[in-house]
């Protein structure tokens, strides 16, 4: 849809790309955490654990984004965003 001055499909794809990027960063952090555990690197390990927790929270915050986009689209109606 493009009737509100914004392509909703493109918006949804962009938010999905952000979500996928966060998921990838979480996977990389998890892999690095295992590597640091093999060498008893506790300090960086704790930082990676904190980063993984933050990334999990970021992904959780995006849950339901498609429904939110649809609801916003429906509430805006035919107002042109600039």
């Amino acid at each position: 849809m493009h009737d509100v001055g914004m392509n909703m499909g493109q918006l949804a794809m962009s938010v999905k790309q952000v979500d996928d990027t966060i998921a990838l960063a979480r996977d990389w952090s998890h892999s690095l955490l295992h590597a640091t555990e093999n060498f008893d690197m506790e300090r960086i390990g704790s930082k990676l654990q904190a980063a993984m927790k933050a990334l999990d929270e970021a992904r959780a915050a995006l849950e339901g984004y498609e429904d939110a986009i649809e609801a916003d689209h429906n509430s805006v109606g035919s107002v042109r965003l600039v």
Side-chain angles (χ1 to χ4, degrees), residues 16-69:
K16 183 179 180 342
Q17 185 175 25
V18 169
D19 187 47
D20 290 346
T21 301
I22 294 167
L24 182 59
R26 205 261 186 219
D27 287 344
W28 287 342
S29 298
H30 188 247
S31 295
L32 287 172
L33 176 63
H34 285 303
T36 62
E37 288 173 342
N38 292 335
F39 297 98
D40 296 323
M41 301 174 79
E42 294 175 11
R43 289 181 218 48
I44 189 62
S46 67
K47 297 234 179 251
L48 288 167
Q49 286 176 332
M52 288 169 49
K53 181 180 178 190
L55 291 165
D56 288 340
E57 291 171 3
R59 286 205 71 204
L62 287 175
E63 284 182 14
Y65 72 86
E66 290 172 319
D67 293 335
I69 289 171

Side-chain angles (χ1 to χ4, degrees), residues 5-22:
M6 180 179 285
N7 185 316
M8 296 297 128
Q10 187 175 13
L11 176 61
M13 287 186 337
S14 294
V15 175
K16 183 179 180 342
Q17 185 175 25
V18 169
D19 187 47
D20 290 346
T21 301
I22 294 167

